Amino acid sequence: MRKRYSLHFYLAGAVAARAGDEMSGPALMLAGFALSGSTVEASLLLAGLTISAVVGGPVFGALLDRAGRPGRLLAGALVLYAAGLGVILVGLGRLPFAVILLIAAVTGLLGPALSGGWTAQLPRVVLGDHLPRANALDAMTFNVASLAGPALVGGVAEALGAPTAVVVSVVLITLALPAAWMLPARPGRVLGVQATSLTSHLVAGVRVIVGRPSLARATLTSTISCIAQGMLMACIPLLGERVLGGAGRGAVLLSCVAVSALVANAVLVRFPRSVAPDTIIWGSALIQAAALALAVWGQPVGLIAAVLIVGIGEGPQLAALFAVRHREAPDHLRGQIFTTGASLKITGFALGAAVAGPVVNWSLPGTLALAASVAVLAALAFFVIPSATANSSEGSAMST
């Protein structure tokens, strides 16, 4: 099966699904504003789509782990997510907003399927010796999606209207269906998995995340890093307006982050075992902290340099996080661990944006400084969790 299922096919499906996912939130927000004229309703629509991921991720991951053909379940999740977006678009202006918000929250339960659900299947696509390189390539699909998604939203919304941007998002997610459906089957049912209840399975996954120091460290540090990234996102419109001469130019800053993250991961693909993933995770948090501190300076050249450095931290941190999860996660819990981690990161990002929203109106430099402090806290949090063996796996780099 591994010989017949190409890594390129996997990557193409991942890019399509993740680009559609990156488009979905901003496109829905713009469509909500265009059809209702309310910024409050538009922001609530985005929040509804993202906040429910914290519940949906662990449950969907547990179901993936129990499925003999996880690709079929993943394909079903893509269909339901795309259908949810379509129902929201059709219902805007026709159904009560409370109903639309509920549909968005239900749709958002499947959001982690488009991120962690894919990555959890990677060890069944490539052999162990090739996993480090494939892992870095997989992380690059997030960078490509984060670069293409917002650009597509802006371009399509400008040319054809915000509702059409939602349609394009649905089309991209749908294009990923063949790659998901044909993912390799589980080679054999893990003993005991089907005999346990779903609740017991969920508890077992949480115990692994909390009980394995390397995995707990990576999860905690990456989640706190996402809080800092969410705070930066809240600053983007004002940074564009005050430093670059227009709020819309803030999209340029997001593109800079995505491009530098993509380049950094491309380098990592060439040298996948050069630095231990555990070291990259906390080191990249410090890089992001330094970049956010530089952004406080408030000059165009310094700001562009700052967001480029943010990307250099973000890209390898994501690849390293995947490497740690692949290394530490038992096969029968891999899906849950990946989707739970994705849920925590999505929630952390949303929390950071929510906290920074009111603060940024009071002080833009103060908010950036606060974000830098949170990034430092992310690096320090890595060392808060003790390890009796000093995590000997740190020295193994990405050997597994």
Side-chain angles (χ1 to χ4, degrees), residues 14 19 25 27 46 59 194 244 247 256 278 294 313 319 333:
L46 176 60
V59 175
Q194 296 300 313
L244 302 181
C256 289
D278 309 75
L294 177 61
L333 295 171

Side-chain angles (χ1 to χ4, degrees), residues 95-195:
L95 297 175
F97 183 72
V99 175
I100 296 297
L101 197 57
L102 177 61
I103 296 171
V106 173
T107 303
L109 290 171
L110 298 169
L114 282 70
S115 51
W118 277 95
T119 304
Q121 310 311 311
L122 191 58
R124 281 189 282 277
V125 175
V126 296
L127 296 174
D129 290 343
H130 300 287
L131 186 57
R133 177 176 178 274
N135 180 68
L137 288 170
D138 184 42
M140 288 174 67
T141 67
F142 283 92
N143 307 139
V144 172
S146 64
L147 178 61
L152 281 172
V153 169
V156 174
E158 184 71 22
L160 302 173
T164 306
V166 180
V167 174
V168 173
S169 171
V170 170
V171 169
L172 283 172
I173 294 170
T174 304
L175 287 175
L177 284 175
W181 183 266
M182 296 174 65
L183 277 165
R186 195 178 303 280
R189 298 295 179 90
V190 180
L191 293 177
V193 171
Q194 296 300 313

Side-chain angles (χ1 to χ4, degrees), residues 233-315:
M233 177 64 73
C235 296
I236 289 296
L238 274 181
L239 284 171
E241 179 180 316
R242 297 184 183 179
V243 181
L244 302 181
R249 296 179 182 177
V252 174
L253 302 177
L254 295 177
S255 298
C256 289
V257 173
V259 167
S260 62
L262 185 62
V263 171
N265 274 338
V267 173
L268 194 61
V269 168
R270 298 290 300 274
F271 307 100
R273 296 178 175 84
S274 56
V275 185
D278 309 75
T279 302
I280 291 175
I281 286 172
W282 65 263
S284 63
L286 290 179
I287 291 174
Q288 293 174 64
L292 290 166
L294 177 61
V296 176
W297 181 27
Q299 297 299 315
V301 174
L303 179 58
I304 296 296
V307 294
L308 288 172
I309 297 171
V310 166
I312 292 172
E314 282 188 19

Side-chain angles (χ1 to χ4, degrees), residues 24 28 49 78-92 94-95 100 103 107 163 166-167 169-171 173:
S24 62
L28 273 184
L49 187 68
L78 296 178
V79 169
L80 292 175
Y81 192 86
L85 294 177
V87 171
I88 293 170
L89 180 60
V90 172
L92 279 171
R94 296 181 176 89
L95 297 175
I100 296 297
I103 296 171
T107 303
V166 180
V167 174
S169 171
V170 170
V171 169
I173 294 170

